[in-house]
Amino acid sequence: MSADNQEKSHEKMDIDSNNPAQDEEVAVEEEEEDDQDVEKIKILPGASEDGTAASFQIIEEDHTLGNALKSMIMKNPEVEFCGYSIPHPSEPKLHLRIQTYGNITAVEALHKGLDDLASLCTVVEEKFSQSVASNNYKTVIS
Amino acid sequence: MTKPENIVGIEYNRVTNVSAHDIPGYKLGEDYAWSLEKFEESFQINIQHLTEKEANFDLVNIDTSVANAFRRIMIAEVPSVAPETIFIFNNTSVISDEVLSHRIGLIPLKVDPDLLTWVDSNVEEDEGKFTDENTIVMSLNVSCTRNPDAPKDSQDPNELYRNSNVYSKDLKFEPQGRQLEMFKGNPVEPVFPNILLAKLRPGQEISLTAHCVLGTGSDHAKFSPVATASYRLMPVIQILKDVEGEDAKKFQKCFTPGVIGIDDDGKAFVKDARKDTVSREVLRHDEFKGKVKLGRDRSQFIFNVESVSAMSPEEIFFKSVRILKNKAEYLRNCPIGQV
């Protein structure tokens, strides 16, 4: 099912991220700066002026974060569309597209998705420590 | 005529109305919005077993993408220590240097990865790139000799020669600097002592040192702390019509042993669906047509984590959760630049 989703988002992403001129700009700027914090995430050209629809480029992330983040952002009722793609398998880049219904900006939706994902992890961690501490399991395989 | 609700809007910088809602099972207005409270309430972890090397636990009511992220992180992003650079002083064995180096690289080592720091790739080697804080040194010095006490008519190399087999346990830890204290009572050694590395004959010798550093599975599989980290969905078997007598025995044999039980009346019942591999064998037989329904529960992930490192399997899972959390928090704090 998730493979199907990925393919769908690929098709949709192609609509506005297939401009070769834009890709060249990306390459030039990345050589100039070397600070990871500034490079990590960028807004791609083609975002709507009110900021309710935007594509982001995140470097050094893959399907691990991409798919989890996409599904968390899609759980936001204010978000109309969210999809991600790895434009090229040998470049460590993740493209993430967010469109909202207009009440919040794409950046706000992204930040909410990241916060939700972090809080989810906190719950998983807590529940797992509880389960490990409960000793309610076998310690030898029968 | 095209219905308006079927038109995907193509606007200047966005597309609208992209998803079809006319799918069976799709209910408009159902609340799927993320809620931490609801998640805390519904999410469950049931540990089946937890041994030194293997963990088996269920994550119930979690999204596939997150379960998959944990699995991917355990395999490729939880750091561990492995030999990275091998310095060969002498190798007169039949195994060439590069093959031997590769074999040594793959040996899992008992080192707590938290005791080491990352090697800074920006530092030059002569400027102190490798220190006692980030590198473990192991040495291997073995030479093969004839055994003068061997029985006269023996054909067995183990009797005829000494050190004819080189094993992973022959790798010896050489503490550097503060490592003597750090690893006191817990010396670095291979997780499995009897991995065969090379075979020697009298006069042949291997002498080398291995420098071991931190790395991740995405860089090289030798750094992966798990042998397997996988999940499967909980099998669901529904018996729709009674299966009795001889049929029940045949029915039982269609499944993995232990899945189907037969009660006192000779009726088949589902004893333990977890054990099933969902082979679909039962669907091949006409006599069971319409009597059984197979499925998998999409909300119940059965994780199996097998560790091959110094870490326990539950520690590896903990680390994967923390790594995903760190990824989210780190990205949250990054300024968003313009391309």
Side-chain angles (χ1 to χ4, degrees):
Chain A
M1 217 187 101
S2 68
D4 190 26
N5 276 347
Q6 276 164 30
E7 250 182 56
K8 271 186 197 164
S9 46
H10 258 290
E11 283 167 27
K12 281 158 192 165
M13 293 292 297
D14 282 347
I15 294 168
D16 57 9
S17 68
N18 239 357
N19 187 340
Q22 288 173 1
D23 284 354
E24 259 179 44
E25 275 175 36
V26 177
V28 171
E29 278 201 20
E30 262 170 19
E31 275 168 35
E32 284 169 4
E33 289 180 57
D34 206 38
D35 190 353
Q36 213 225 353
D37 284 338
V38 190
E39 289 294 316
K40 185 77 179 175
I41 178 165
K42 283 177 171 175
I43 285 192
L44 290 166
S48 70
E49 272 170 26
D50 59 356
T52 58
S55 295
F56 301 90
Q57 183 198 61
I58 303 163
I59 62 160
E60 277 159 10
E61 291 297 348
D62 55 10
H63 298 282
T64 304
L65 185 73
N67 199 10
L69 186 58
K70 181 214 76 175
S71 60
M72 285 313 281
I73 292 172
M74 280 183 23
K75 287 226 168 257
N76 187 343
E78 296 292 343
V79 172
E80 183 183 24
F81 172 81
C82 181
Y84 83 97
S85 79
I86 308 290
H88 195 282
S90 48
E91 285 180 327
K93 287 175 185 163
L94 170 76
H95 282 191
L96 184 76
R97 172 78 177 170
I98 303 171
Q99 289 176 195
T100 74
Y101 284 111
N103 296 328
I104 58 169
T105 64
V107 172
E108 283 165 349
L110 171 71
H111 282 169
K112 184 178 180 332
L114 289 166
D115 290 340
D116 288 346
L117 192 59
S119 61
L120 179 148
C121 289
T122 312
V123 173
V124 174
E125 207 179 326
E126 278 168 10
K127 290 228 178 176
F128 194 71
S129 353
Q130 279 169 21
S131 297
V132 171
S134 76
N135 275 321
N136 189 18
Y137 47 81
K138 287 185 230 165
T139 48
V140 281
I141 306 168
S142 50
Chain B
M1 267 306 286
T2 315
K3 289 181 191 162
E5 65 263 32
N6 284 344
I7 298 173
V8 176
I10 312 287
E11 293 174 29
Y12 180 67
N13 48 24
R14 60 157 60 199
V15 285
T16 57
N17 197 26
V18 283
S19 37
H21 294 171
D22 52 347
I23 300 162
Y26 184 96
K27 262 199 222 153
L28 208 73
E30 220 172 286
D31 184 21
Y32 293 121
W34 170 252
S35 145
L36 188 64
E37 291 73 43
K38 275 188 194 164
F39 176 71
E40 269 186 301
E41 219 172 89
S42 64
F43 177 62
Q44 286 174 39
I45 294 182
N46 305 320
I47 303 180
Q48 298 302 316
H49 66 249
L50 203 60
T51 65
E52 201 186 330
K53 285 272 165 275
E54 198 179 86
N56 191 289
F57 52 89
D58 300 356
L59 301 189
V60 189
N61 292 323
I62 193 165
D63 195 87
T64 313
S65 62
V66 182
N68 193 41
F70 292 147
R71 183 193 63 84
R72 285 173 63 97
I73 293 171
M74 281 191 274
I75 293 169
E77 289 180 55
V78 174
S80 79
V81 181
E84 172 72 359
T85 319
I86 312 286
F87 299 91
I88 295 182
F89 307 120
N90 195 8
N91 174 20
T92 51
S93 74
V94 290
I95 296 211
S96 56
D97 292 2
E98 58 272 31
V99 177
L100 183 63
S101 303
H102 180 243
R103 289 177 72 81
I104 290 170
L106 296 170
I107 299 170
L109 298 173
K110 246 184 225 164
V111 198
D112 182 358
D114 296 337
L115 292 176
L116 294 191
T117 58
W118 286 89
V119 173
D120 188 349
S121 55
N122 298 321
V123 180
E124 292 294 320
E125 255 175 66
D126 51 357
E127 289 169 356
K129 183 178 184 179
F130 299 103
T131 66
D132 60 342
E133 287 179 348
N134 60 25
T135 310
I136 298 273
V137 180
M138 306 284 282
S139 68
L140 179 70
N141 291 296
V142 185
S143 54
C144 181
T145 52
R146 276 182 202 284
N147 181 8
D149 307 324
K152 267 226 164 83
D153 51 351
S154 175
Q155 295 283 311
D156 183 1
N158 292 323
E159 288 177 354
L160 287 171
Y161 318 120
R162 284 178 177 153
N163 293 331
S164 63
N165 291 343
V166 183
Y167 293 106
S168 54
K169 64 186 169 205
D170 297 324
L171 276 167
K172 298 293 178 216
F173 176 42
E174 308 229 323
Q176 309 290 310
R178 297 188 304 113
Q179 287 175 3
L180 203 62
E181 283 170 48
M182 273 168 71
F183 293 95
K184 209 174 192 177
N186 194 19
V188 179
E189 56 183 8
V191 177
F192 307 101
N194 290 320
I195 303 171
L196 184 65
L197 291 175
K199 289 197 171 190
L200 301 179
R201 283 298 173 264
Q204 295 182 345
E205 184 186 349
I206 292 174
S207 173
L208 56 85
T209 61
H211 288 192
C212 317
V213 297
L214 270 185
T216 59
S218 55
D219 180 36
H220 192 294
K222 70 186 174 186
F223 290 116
S224 186
V226 291
T228 62
S230 63
Y231 61 74
R232 62 196 179 100
L233 299 179
M234 181 64 127
V236 179
I237 303 162
Q238 287 170 278
I239 299 177
L240 305 171
K241 280 183 201 157
D242 285 351
V243 182
E244 291 163 310
E246 279 305 302
D247 271 1
K249 281 181 189 156
K250 192 179 175 188
F251 188 76
Q252 197 176 28
K253 279 189 181 158
C254 290
F255 296 88
T256 314
V259 174
I260 300 294
I262 296 173
D263 64 15
D264 296 339
D265 305 333
K267 250 191 252 171
F269 68 99
V270 181
K271 202 167 141 196
D272 188 3
R274 173 186 297 274
K275 286 186 177 148
D276 195 26
T277 55
V278 198
S279 67
R280 285 186 265 187
E281 171 68 11
V282 72
L283 303 180
R284 298 176 66 232
H285 302 280
D286 283 338
E287 58 264 52
F288 303 130
K289 222 169 208 173
K291 289 193 174 174
V292 66
K293 214 172 165 121
L294 301 179
R296 283 182 184 277
D297 184 351
R298 212 190 303 133
S299 66
Q300 194 165 352
F301 295 91
I302 303 172
F303 269 79
N304 197 76
V305 181
E306 190 185 335
S307 164
V308 284
S309 71
M311 289 175 278
S312 61
E314 69 268 27
E315 192 183 344
I316 296 171
F317 180 72
F318 267 128
K319 284 189 174 177
S320 76
V321 178
R322 261 173 242 147
I323 287 170
L324 185 62
K325 193 176 163 188
N326 279 346
K327 274 176 188 282
E329 283 172 350
Y330 181 77
L331 195 58
R332 177 68 175 82
N333 293 324
C334 281
I336 300 176
Q338 297 277 338
V339 169

